[in-house]
Structure formats: structure tokens, C-alpha cells
Amino acid sequence: MKAVAIASYKGGVGKTTLTANIGAAIARLGRRVLMIDLDPQANLTFSFYRPETWRTDLADHRRTVKAWFESWRPETTPPPLAGYVTTPSVVNAAVAAGGGTLDLLASHLSLGDIEMDLTARLGGARAHRSTRYYFDVYQRLATGLASFSTYDYDLVLIDCPPNFGVITRAAIAACDHLLIPARPDNLSTLGIEHLMSRLGRFVWEYNRVAGLQSGMHPAVKRLEPRVLGVVLMMVQYYGGRPTSFLRPYIHQASGLGLPVFESMLRVSNRSFAGAAGTQLPAVLSADLPPEVARELISLVEEFLRRVGAASRMAGPSHRPVA
Ligand SMILES: Nc1ncnc2c1ncn2[C@@H]1O[C@H](COP(=O)(O)OP(=O)(O)OP(=O)(O)O)[C@@H](O)[C@H]1O
Ligand SMILES: [Mg+2]
């Protein structure tokens, strides 16, 4: 089971769009995919459920990731995540023919409360390096994912909120891969630089605390997340080709030691704006413009290739800044 966190420091760069479309496309290929929505905005959840259905069928029945976090009792075996996972009907009807499934661990609009609880448990936003509860907080999701058997899912995709808070860090600690969507504009690429700096600092700190607590049972595994790459989203095309403005951004990402996906996704309001209302990601839509369909398929193929042969994250740019 591969687990991939889709993360970016910047909001609105296409994290949720990428998660929903990659998940649906891979489920259509006959694989078992689990998506986890860790963003209190719950946009991934509302891509597959109408808000009123979310409230009656999920939130009221405590089938959300927030309910799972709340049911956790320290120093006991956490409840299996499977009891909180749902199978959205519309999208699953569309992928069923190939034998695949697309499950979702839904978010909750009050997931921010959990973020605050976890931060408090660490002793505040800054004082968390070697507190007693460090791994209790940062290993929760990893322990939750370990409650699945290897036959349950081929792939887990975690849609992170647009920040590097404790929940995003716990997601990174639960994943072996990271995927970074970016809009080709200055703010978004600066966001990547910031993300990589914070990521490097967190990995360094986690492994340091793991080293200090080497007598712990079971032993804490070192974090070695691998960056699959940066995916350029919402690219403007002129005359059928991406603009030459892209080159500096590709260089900038490469300069940070990050691979950039050859496949990219163009701006297409027609394809993506209405997708949420249908509970079907664009990739499953019957009337997708052919060029967008081609780009999505090529992106998914490249994703699968890169997940199969991801290179290890390394290099000085991933050391803590201070
Ligand atoms: N290729 C595209 N063309 C046009 N619109 C797009 C495209 N990709 C995504 N969008 C739209 O852009 C908006 C932001 O995308 P999305 O929600 O995926 O970003 P995000 O990074 O998850 O945002 P947040 O940080 O708020 O969670 C959404 O309304 C989405 O439908
Ligand atoms: Mg999102």
C-alpha cells in the first residue's frame, strides 16, 4: 500500500482537484484507492457528497476523520480507521466496471478543533521537540493507516490543508511520498520553497526525537519522505502550447532539487468549475475537452510511474534552516 500526501503551503493551487482526479482515474483502472480529507474546508469531501448528505449520513453518524481523532485514547490501541471510511455512491458506480473502488475518509468543518487539541498536546506550536506526547500526536495517522491490511488498498491519497500545521505534519509522517501541486506564478512557487524548508526541518526534528527515544517499543521508524514531484496546475496555453513563462518556474523547482512532472494541467474552467456539483471528478466526465482528458491521463500515467520508482529525498536544501 503506497501512501501519498498532496501538500502545498499555498491555498488554491489544485491539491483537492489533483487528489480527486488521480484517485478516480486509478480506481477506474481497477485499483482500490482510499482518499483522506484532512482539510477543514472539506472540499474533497464535498466533491463526492452533497453538503446535506454529508451532514445526515456522515457527520451525524460520526463517520469523519474528526470522529476518528476524537475516539483516540492515549496509550490504548486506536480504533481501526476502517470503521470511519465511506464509499461515495456516484463515483463508485462510475468506476465499478473495472473492479476498482474509491473510498473516502471524510473531513469535518470543525476539524480545526482537532488541530488545536493536538497542538496543545504537544505543548504549543513551538515547544514540541521532545515532549512525552510527540509520537502520540505525530504517529496517530500512521498507526491508523497501519490498521489496514495490505489487501485493503493499493493507494492512499491524503489531501492536506494549505498550511504546515500539526495535521499536515502528521500526514507527512504517515506517508512515504509527497506530491506538490503548484500554479506557475511567483507566489505559488515561493510557497514550494517555504514548504520544503518546513518539511526539511520537521523530518530532521522527528528523526532527532526518534533517535533520543531509541529505547521506545515499538521502535520509531525514521522518516524518509520521497518527493514524487511538482505538478504544474492551471497552466495558461497560448496557440496550443504552454507559454514560455513556465521555464523560470520549472528552473526554480529544479533549483530546489525537486523533480517537475512533464505532464501538466491547463486552465479549463469548463472542465473543473462544475465538477463538484456532480459528485464526479472531471476525469470521469463524458464531455471533457479531449486535450484536458489527454493531459489528465498523461498525468495519472506519470504519477503511477513515479510512485513505482520514486527517488529518495536528499540534499542540503532539506536540512533545517536554523
Ligand atoms: N485546471 C483548472 N482549470 C480551472 N480551474 C481549476 C483547475 N484546477 C482546479 N481548478 C479550480 O481551482 C480552485 C482551486 O482548486 P483546488 O480546490 O483543487 O485547490 P486547493 O489547493 O485544494 O485549494 P485549498 O488550498 O483551498 O484547499 C477550485 O475551484 C478548482 O475547481
Ligand atoms: Mg483543497
Side-chain angles (χ1 to χ4, degrees):
M1 185 173 85
K2 308 264 187 189
V4 181
I6 294 93
S8 157
Y9 208 79
K10 284 290 297 171
V13 294
K15 294 179 289 298
T16 301
T17 304
L18 204 52
T19 309
N21 282 282
I22 289 180
I26 293 177
R28 186 170 55 179
L29 293 173
R31 312 277 179 88
R32 292 149 304 175
V33 181
L34 170 67
M35 300 172 298
I36 302 182
D37 188 355
L38 288 185
D39 188 345
Q41 297 177 96
N43 289 337
L44 183 68
T45 301
F46 295 133
S47 306
F48 296 98
Y49 287 98
R50 293 181 196 288
E52 55 282 10
T53 317
W54 169 79
R55 182 161 300 287
T56 53
D57 295 5
L58 305 186
D60 290 353
H61 286 88
R62 302 186 50 76
R63 283 176 83 92
T64 68
V65 70
K66 175 172 182 267
W68 177 75
F69 272 116
E70 283 169 345
S71 63
W72 181 285
R73 297 285 169 270
E75 286 152 50
T76 60
T77 311
L81 265 183
Y84 295 81
V85 166
T86 67
T87 305
S89 56
V90 177
V91 69
N92 276 282
V95 301
T101 49
L102 185 62
D103 284 352
L104 173 71
L105 182 53
S107 186
H108 195 288
L109 299 169
S110 306
L111 191 61
D113 297 350
I114 301 289
E115 176 96 29
M116 282 193 285
D117 288 350
L118 294 178
T119 306
R121 197 157 179 76
L122 286 171
R126 295 187 163 271
H128 48 253
R129 298 227 164 156
S130 51
T131 67
R132 156 164 191 222
Y133 297 118
Y134 190 89
F135 291 115
D136 174 47
V137 168
Y138 285 130
Q139 283 202 318
R140 280 193 196 194
L141 272 170
T143 310
L145 287 188
S147 66
F148 290 114
S149 96
T150 44
Y151 303 106
D152 287 335
Y153 294 106
D154 300 304
L155 176 68
V156 179
L157 297 171
I158 304 189
D159 185 18
C160 296
N163 59 47
F164 203 72
V166 64
I167 286 193
T168 299
R169 294 199 288 266
I172 283 166
C175 288
D176 23 36
H177 300 100
L178 193 66
L179 185 65
I180 307 173
R183 286 175 70 132
D185 59 46
N186 210 17
L187 275 177
S188 170
T189 40
L190 280 176
I192 296 180
E193 203 164 341
H194 200 57
L195 175 74
M196 294 315 293
S197 152
R198 300 293 298 269
L199 174 69
R201 185 190 287 248
F202 171 61
V203 169
W204 177 84
E205 171 195 287
Y206 185 103
N207 289 338
R208 187 174 151 272
V209 179
L212 291 176
Q213 304 191 3
S214 54
M216 247 175 92
H217 293 288
V220 179
K221 224 177 96 208
R222 283 175 63 81
L223 285 190
E224 293 180 82
R226 298 164 188 211
V227 180
L228 292 177
V230 175
V231 182
L232 292 175
M233 302 286 286
M234 300 179 229
V235 175
Q236 295 280 358
Y237 277 51
Y238 291 101
R241 310 186 54 182
T243 67
S244 56
F245 296 127
L246 282 185
R247 241 168 263 133
Y249 304 119
I250 294 174
H251 277 299
Q252 200 176 344
S254 309
L256 291 169
L258 295 174
V260 179
F261 272 57
E262 279 164 40
S263 324
M264 48 186 80
L265 201 55
R266 71 185 62 211
V267 172
S268 170
N269 293 334
R270 186 186 135 197
S271 308
F272 295 95
T278 63
Q279 283 89 60
L280 275 181
V283 72
L284 299 183
S285 154
D287 60 352
L288 206 57
E291 61 280 7
V292 177
R294 270 198 302 277
E295 285 179 352
L296 279 169
I297 287 166
S298 137
L299 189 57
V300 170
E301 286 172 352
E302 188 171 351
F303 173 84
L304 287 170
R305 278 199 308 278
R306 286 181 185 260
V307 168
S311 61
R312 185 161 295 200
M313 201 183 90
S317 56
H318 306 300
R319 304 288 313 231
V321 179

